[in-house]
């Protein structure tokens, strides 16, 4: 039986943080190890152009994501690892897909509205087009499973709508892709507000951070007196407890919750323990990263072969779509 396909990607906006790792990369790793799936993992460099970026550093930023992928355990023997713009079939399919969605539908997406609010000067066609290109990224491989964080759900809904519409109008056979969720589908910000995000300073911990940096970042996370009648469900303390659960387990979280309504929590101890637990998880990733950082020819080769393999599959599916649409 043909293997089911998986596709995921991350924009090249700098080094990956714990949100990217727990929300997306950990799911990519699970599916990579499952022999029922064929996995395609890319750096979404074209999507990086939808918000302000520096052309001088883009190549380095792309490389950082590739290094973080390989460091985290994405394995070129098991997964096809590539850079989005090196497979131009994505763009061609995206244009064809744009005939199947309305402008109004795109304008109403919460992700689009948030970005326009964040960058009022950057309300471009590319930004509006973001979900269409993302649908093409996925469906050019006929992938039906997409490991991403919960914030990407609106985009997957669009991909499903496009698949349905294309199948109905042109008799194509696109699957309706579903999100592959992980335990860390929403990692909160250290600042106590919203999600961990690259664009919010002080909100994140990077995969490349050492123990001292992790401690410093956690030290700045807001807390309270450590004692009260009910444990906060929102804000800095709640977010720290979520991280405790993810890195030290549910029982540890329960212990702290009991302490909060009893003798009180010592946040310096909590942060010390959490920093160590995060560091333990990140150390092997950082060790692996070093090996790839020192071997840039190997990384080049991985990306070249990845693009070649990806293009082969992408081209076939693009051709079929063009045929169905009457172009060839
Ligand atoms: P990007 O770079 O914005 O996000 C990368 C991935 O990290 C996840 N993520 C989080 N997960 C949990 N908690 C957080 N705090 C957190 N912050 C980020 C995001 O959900 C995402 O999975 N649009 C995609 C890139 C993309 C793509 C695709 C993904 C382009 N084409 C096709 C899948 C399939 C994105 O959000 O990148």
């Amino acid at each position: 039986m043909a293997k089911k396909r998986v596709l995921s990607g991350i924009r090249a906006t700098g080094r990956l943080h714990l949100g990217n790792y727990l929300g997306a990369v950990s799911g990519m790793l699970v599916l990579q190890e499952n022999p029922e799936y064929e996995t395609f993992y890319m750096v979404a460099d074209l999507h990086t152009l939808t918000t302000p970026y520096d052309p001088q550093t883009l190549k380095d930023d792309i490389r950082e994501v590739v290094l973080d992928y390989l460091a985290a355990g994405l394995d070129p023997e098991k997964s096809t690892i590539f850079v989005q713009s090196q497979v131009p079939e994505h763009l061609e399919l995206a244009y064809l897909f744009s005939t199947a969605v309305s402008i109004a539908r795109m304008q109403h997406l919460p992700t689009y509205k948030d970005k326009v609010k964040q960058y009022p000067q950057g309300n471009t066609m590319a930004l509006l087009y973001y979900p269409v290109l993302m649908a093409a990224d996925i469906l050019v491989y006929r992938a039906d499973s997409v490991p991403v964080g919960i914030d990407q759900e609106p985009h997957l809904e669009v991909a499903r709508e496009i698949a349905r519409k294309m199948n109905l109008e042109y008799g194509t056979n696109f699957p309706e892709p579903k999100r592959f969720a992980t335990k860390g589908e929403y990692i909160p910000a250290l600042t106590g507000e919203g999600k961990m995000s690259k664009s919010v300073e002080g909100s994140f911990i990077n995969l490349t951070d050492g123990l001292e940096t992790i401690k410093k970042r956690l030290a700045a996370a807001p807390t309270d007196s450590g004692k009260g009648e009910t444990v906060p469900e929102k804000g800095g303390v709640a977010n720290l407890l979520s991280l405790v659960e993810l890195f030290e387990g549910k029982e540890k979280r329960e212990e702290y919750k009991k302490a909060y309504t009893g003798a009180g929590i010592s946040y310096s101890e909590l942060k010390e323990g959490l920093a160590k637990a995060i560091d333990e998880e990140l150390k092997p990733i950082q060790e692996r990263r070093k090996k790839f950082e020192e071997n840039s020819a190997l990384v080049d080769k991985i990306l070249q072969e990845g693009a070649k393999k990806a293009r082969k599959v992408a081209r076939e599916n693009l051709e079929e779509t063009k045929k169905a649409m009457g172009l060839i």
Side-chain angles (χ1 to χ4, degrees):
M1 212 179 75
K3 288 188 180 193
K4 288 190 247 174
R5 295 222 183 94
V6 176
L7 176 118
S8 192
I10 296 184
R11 287 173 305 144
T13 47
R15 294 183 169 191
L16 301 192
H17 55 66
L18 291 181
N20 302 134
Y21 177 61
L22 298 168
V25 179
S26 67
M28 297 186 196
L29 288 168
V30 169
L31 292 170
Q32 167 183 271
E33 300 309 324
N34 185 335
E36 283 176 27
Y37 291 97
E38 190 180 356
T39 44
F40 293 82
Y41 298 135
M42 63 169 196
V43 181
D45 59 343
L46 293 168
H47 279 107
T48 313
L49 314 186
T50 61
T51 48
Y53 78 102
D54 182 358
Q56 302 290 336
T57 60
L58 183 59
K59 277 207 192 73
D60 294 336
D61 294 337
I62 294 168
R63 188 52 74 119
E64 293 286 3
V65 178
V66 176
L67 287 171
D68 277 335
Y69 273 172
L70 295 168
L74 294 196
D75 179 351
E77 299 286 323
K78 297 176 184 161
S79 293
T80 302
I81 301 168
F82 64 101
V83 177
Q84 183 188 30
S85 66
Q86 291 180 8
V87 186
E89 285 77 5
H90 292 217
L91 285 169
E92 202 174 336
L93 188 65
Y95 178 76
L96 301 179
F97 279 0
S98 74
T99 64
V101 271
S102 74
I103 295 171
R105 173 74 176 99
M106 297 295 95
Q107 282 172 328
H108 280 119
L109 281 175
T111 41
Y112 170 72
K113 288 185 186 161
D114 286 351
K115 281 282 187 284
V116 174
K117 219 185 266 167
Q118 205 178 346
Y119 306 105
Q121 306 299 320
N123 188 0
T124 60
M125 280 299 295
L127 190 63
L128 191 66
Y129 206 78
Y130 190 117
V132 183
L133 178 57
M134 184 160 157
D137 295 334
I138 299 165
L139 293 172
V140 84
Y141 303 99
R142 294 186 190 283
D144 58 10
S145 201
V146 184
V148 282
I150 199 160
D151 60 318
Q152 295 300 305
E153 195 56 58
H155 292 155
L156 285 180
E157 186 56 44
V158 171
R160 289 190 285 272
E161 282 170 26
I162 291 179
R164 276 198 293 275
K165 185 97 183 278
M166 292 297 293
N167 295 345
L168 197 71
E169 297 257 323
Y170 305 108
T172 48
N173 190 22
F174 289 112
E176 291 187 25
K178 279 182 270 323
R179 189 167 70 87
F180 180 79
T182 62
K183 241 177 41 187
E185 65 179 15
Y186 180 91
I187 303 299
L190 298 181
T191 49
E193 248 177 75
K195 62 165 187 161
M196 189 174 283
S197 161
K198 276 175 246 186
S199 56
V200 181
E201 203 35 62
S203 79
F204 58 82
I205 291 173
N206 281 335
L207 294 189
T208 46
D209 287 343
L211 183 59
E212 287 317 306
T213 311
I214 298 171
K215 280 187 187 168
K216 235 196 279 163
R217 294 200 198 261
L218 285 178
T223 51
D224 57 12
S225 65
K227 231 176 141 133
E229 273 175 25
T230 51
V231 183
E233 285 178 5
K234 272 206 300 230
V237 172
N239 293 358
L240 280 175
L241 291 177
S242 302
L243 289 175
V244 164
E245 178 168 346
L246 283 161
F247 288 93
E248 300 182 89
K250 223 179 173 122
E251 276 169 28
K252 194 78 192 168
R253 179 187 188 142
E254 290 307 315
E255 246 175 61
Y256 282 126
K257 277 170 80 174
K258 264 204 198 119
Y260 194 92
T261 51
I265 294 181
S266 152
Y267 288 115
S268 59
E269 271 173 38
L270 180 150
K271 288 178 175 182
E272 179 81 20
L274 179 57
K276 279 197 185 131
I278 294 174
D279 184 55
E280 281 304 307
E281 178 131 357
L282 297 188
K283 258 197 214 132
I285 296 178
Q286 293 165 3
E287 283 301 310
R288 239 185 332 245
R289 196 184 211 271
K290 265 192 223 134
K291 282 191 210 138
F292 288 104
E293 277 171 352
E294 287 159 7
N295 196 344
S296 89
L298 172 65
V299 177
D300 289 340
K301 192 164 159 257
I302 290 169
L303 293 178
Q304 253 169 29
E305 284 176 4
K308 204 168 140 199
K309 266 168 71 185
R311 282 199 83 171
K312 191 166 175 289
V313 179
R315 206 174 300 137
E316 272 173 32
N317 286 322
L318 176 64
E319 293 268 303
E320 270 185 43
T321 311
K322 286 171 83 171
K323 265 188 214 146
M325 291 181 83
L327 288 163
I328 48 175

